[in-house]
Amino acid sequence: MKFQSFLIKYAEIGIKGKNRYLFEDALIRQIKFALKDVEGSFNVTKATGRIYVNAESDYDYEEVMEALKRVFGIAWICPVVQLADEGFEVLKEKVLEYIDNVYENKNFTFKVESRRSRKNYPMVSQEINMELGAAILDAFEGTKVDVHHPEVLLRIEVREQFINVYSKEIQGPGGMPIGTNGKAMLLLSGGIDSPVAGYMIAKRGVTIEATYFHAPPYTSERAKQKVVDLAKLVAKYSGPIKLNIVNFTDIQLYIYEKCPHDELTIIMRRYMMKIAEHLAKESGAIGLITGESIGQVASQTLQSLAATNEVCTLPVYRPLIGFDKQEIVEIAEKINTYETSIQPYEDCCTIFVAKHPVTKPNINVIKASEQRLNERIEELMKIAIETVEVIECK
Ligand code: ATP
Ligand code: MG
């Protein structure tokens, strides 16, 4: 069956009142962007509260579907067959052909729902419904009409230029189009959680930038490549991600040298947040994102989170805060980051990790320990920020 068009239905952006067109335009931009690398030529148009993706050449159905399923803001994708008006008898024939092709198993209940925006069509909607319904019942033995809860809702739209026929709705990712909700800085490690956290915030329309703390030679080039790979996977949904790679080695070694080892992780995380916030502000991001979840590890108890949070002035978004690991893994699998995340390359926090890290850090104690860093920490942070390597991930 050849679908010439895809009708895009959106949910939440429909309720944005006067700003609705901004959301629609952002959605159109994101759809065009997603289709840029898909073979074929497509025209994306807006018509009376709807968005259509029209194919202007041959294309691969699966490839288009895969691309559209990653565009936030899309609730449903309906592949549409567009027919020229060649009289009702031809329409009937084509509709039967449609059913025959699209539904292998013909045991289903259905309803025909037609609409005419072209009012001079010789039949009214009710007649079209009845005639087509009768033709389907006649042609396919297992079919039955159910006007209340049909398994197949066949829609016929008589428009100026075409007659649209569709009945399939494929679920999109939901959320809001990227670019409608500002920018935030994701602290992206090579783990399972942070790519999922980035995905979830991007899903709400937020543009994502990322920062990774690298500690060569304690963390390898391969560990860094893994983070680049993860950023590219998240970018399939979020659009291009600017990834800042911070060389954190000297700061880590300095903390290791000066501070109690059981406080190492917390102090390190505070410096990560400070540097990420600095980079965020430099690039106009107005929030930070982490993959933290309460109680997952020593550095994520409420006390530890409070201690980490204390250095930030920007809001920190932690979309996984109430999720169990298994729930996070399920999303990671769905968005295809899991396999990459579990590759066994060390991340910088595990190298310097203490045997018995504090689980209930006291902020005053931590601050007192940090006093021991006064001599060089400002300089080391400045160097780390000045030597950031930027990789555009898409
Ligand atoms: P993840 O699976 O995201 O690595 P995790 O369970 O390993 O999470 P932690 O190592 O405690 O948790 O890190 C908590 C959060 O801090 C991460 O989700 C991430 O947002 C950030 N983070 C940790 N290490 C790094 C790093 N090397 N670079 C950038 N961000 C980091
Ligand atoms: Mg980690």
Side-chain angles (χ1 to χ4, degrees):
M1 196 90 240
K2 186 153 167 43
F3 299 103
Q4 296 93 335
S5 183
F6 297 85
L7 167 60
I8 304 298
K9 296 186 175 175
Y10 40 84
E12 248 178 286
I13 63 172
I15 59 171
K16 296 289 167 190
K18 269 201 298 206
N19 288 332
R20 174 170 164 156
Y21 77 96
L22 292 174
F23 286 78
E24 289 171 337
D25 292 351
L27 182 54
I28 290 175
R29 262 198 312 277
Q30 292 308 125
I31 292 173
K32 285 182 177 164
F33 184 77
L35 291 172
K36 232 175 43 188
D37 295 332
V38 172
E39 201 145 336
S41 159
F42 304 91
N43 174 22
V44 186
T45 59
K46 181 159 87 166
T48 53
R50 288 172 156 199
I51 290 170
Y52 287 96
V53 175
N54 302 305
E56 293 180 326
S57 66
D58 278 345
Y59 65 90
D60 181 66
Y61 177 85
E62 290 305 326
E63 205 189 346
V64 169
M65 229 8 122
E66 277 315 302
L68 293 176
K69 276 188 192 168
R70 287 196 297 259
V71 179
F72 294 132
I74 295 182
W76 300 96
I77 308 157
C78 310
V80 174
V81 172
Q82 281 180 342
L83 303 173
D85 180 11
E86 299 172 278
F88 188 74
E89 284 310 308
V90 177
L91 174 66
K92 196 154 80 179
E93 221 173 274
K94 294 274 165 75
V95 166
L96 294 179
E97 201 181 302
Y98 173 95
I99 297 281
D100 202 21
N101 278 310
V102 174
Y103 298 96
E104 210 171 302
N105 177 352
K106 309 287 189 304
N107 289 304
F108 55 77
T109 60
F110 74 97
K111 173 185 178 180
V112 183
E113 199 168 87
S114 53
R115 284 207 290 186
R116 301 179 314 159
S117 51
R118 175 149 73 82
K119 295 298 176 195
N120 66 359
Y121 192 75
M123 293 162 77
V124 296
S125 301
Q126 191 55 27
E127 280 175 279
I128 301 173
N129 295 345
M130 303 235 309
E131 293 275 337
L132 289 181
I136 292 168
L137 286 172
D138 219 29
F140 307 111
E141 216 170 283
T143 59
K144 250 198 324 230
V145 172
D146 180 344
V147 294
H148 299 295
H149 304 288
E151 284 156 355
V152 173
L153 180 59
L154 178 69
R155 300 187 207 251
I156 311 290
E157 296 177 350
V158 181
R159 299 175 80 85
E160 285 306 326
Q161 316 279 351
F162 301 102
I163 300 175
N164 285 339
V165 178
Y166 67 95
S167 61
K168 286 255 180 211
E169 290 195 322
I170 292 108
Q171 191 155 23
M176 310 260 213
I178 296 287
T180 55
N181 259 320
K183 179 158 75 176
M185 179 67 79
L186 169 67
L187 282 89
L188 181 63
S189 69
I192 296 169
D193 307 330
S194 45
V196 173
Y199 166 86
M200 288 183 69
I201 297 296
K203 186 172 175 217
R204 300 308 299 166
V206 177
T207 304
I208 301 291
E209 190 169 321
T211 300
Y212 167 58
F213 295 89
H214 184 39
Y218 303 98
T219 59
S220 63
E221 272 306 298
R222 196 60 197 79
K224 172 173 138 187
Q225 185 57 42
K226 176 179 164 184
V227 175
V228 172
D229 293 344
L230 285 169
K232 285 183 181 171
L233 290 171
V234 175
K236 287 190 174 199
Y237 295 88
S238 68
I241 294 178
K242 179 182 159 197
L243 174 64
N244 303 283
I245 298 180
V246 178
N247 186 326
F248 203 51
T249 311
D250 289 343
I251 294 177
Q252 248 177 336
L253 289 174
Y254 189 50
I255 299 171
Y256 191 69
E257 181 194 327
K258 299 280 183 187
C259 299
H261 288 180
D262 62 344
E263 294 171 9
L264 198 74
T265 306
I266 292 293
I267 295 174
M268 244 168 45
R269 297 205 38 73
R270 282 163 61 92
Y271 282 100
M272 280 187 186
M273 296 302 254
K274 276 192 200 177
I275 293 172
E277 178 166 289
H278 181 95
L279 296 173
K281 286 179 174 168
E282 265 183 355
S283 67
I286 53 175
L288 302 175
I289 308 164
T290 74
E292 289 159 314
S293 149
I294 294 172
Q296 201 187 73
V297 286
S299 61
Q300 296 176 28
T301 62
L302 279 193
Q303 292 86 346
S304 298
L305 287 166
T308 309
N309 203 65
E310 199 251 352
V311 298
C312 302
T313 59
L314 289 179
V316 182
Y317 298 105
R318 300 179 171 91
L320 307 180
I321 200 71
F323 280 43
D324 294 345
K325 195 73 187 186
Q326 188 49 37
E327 293 170 314
I328 300 170
V329 165
E330 276 164 27
I331 303 175
E333 282 173 335
K334 189 181 83 181
I335 66 172
N336 196 32
T337 53
Y338 184 70
E339 286 301 319
T340 304
S341 287
I342 60 172
Q343 289 172 6
Y345 303 106
E346 73 294 349
D347 81 40
C348 72
C349 306
T350 56
I351 296 282
F352 291 92
V353 86
K355 271 211 187 74
H356 300 290
V358 283
T359 54
K360 294 188 177 120
N362 175 310
I363 290 182
N364 295 326
V365 174
I366 297 289
K367 280 183 169 169
S369 302
E370 283 177 354
Q371 293 294 316
R372 305 182 198 178
L373 303 170
N374 282 348
E375 199 186 322
R376 290 194 62 210
I377 194 71
E378 287 302 323
E379 178 204 340
L380 292 177
M381 280 180 46
K382 188 159 170 273
I383 294 171
I385 287 163
E386 281 169 3
T387 59
V388 164
E389 178 192 358
V390 174
I391 298 181
E392 201 62 45
C393 299
K394 56 183 175 192

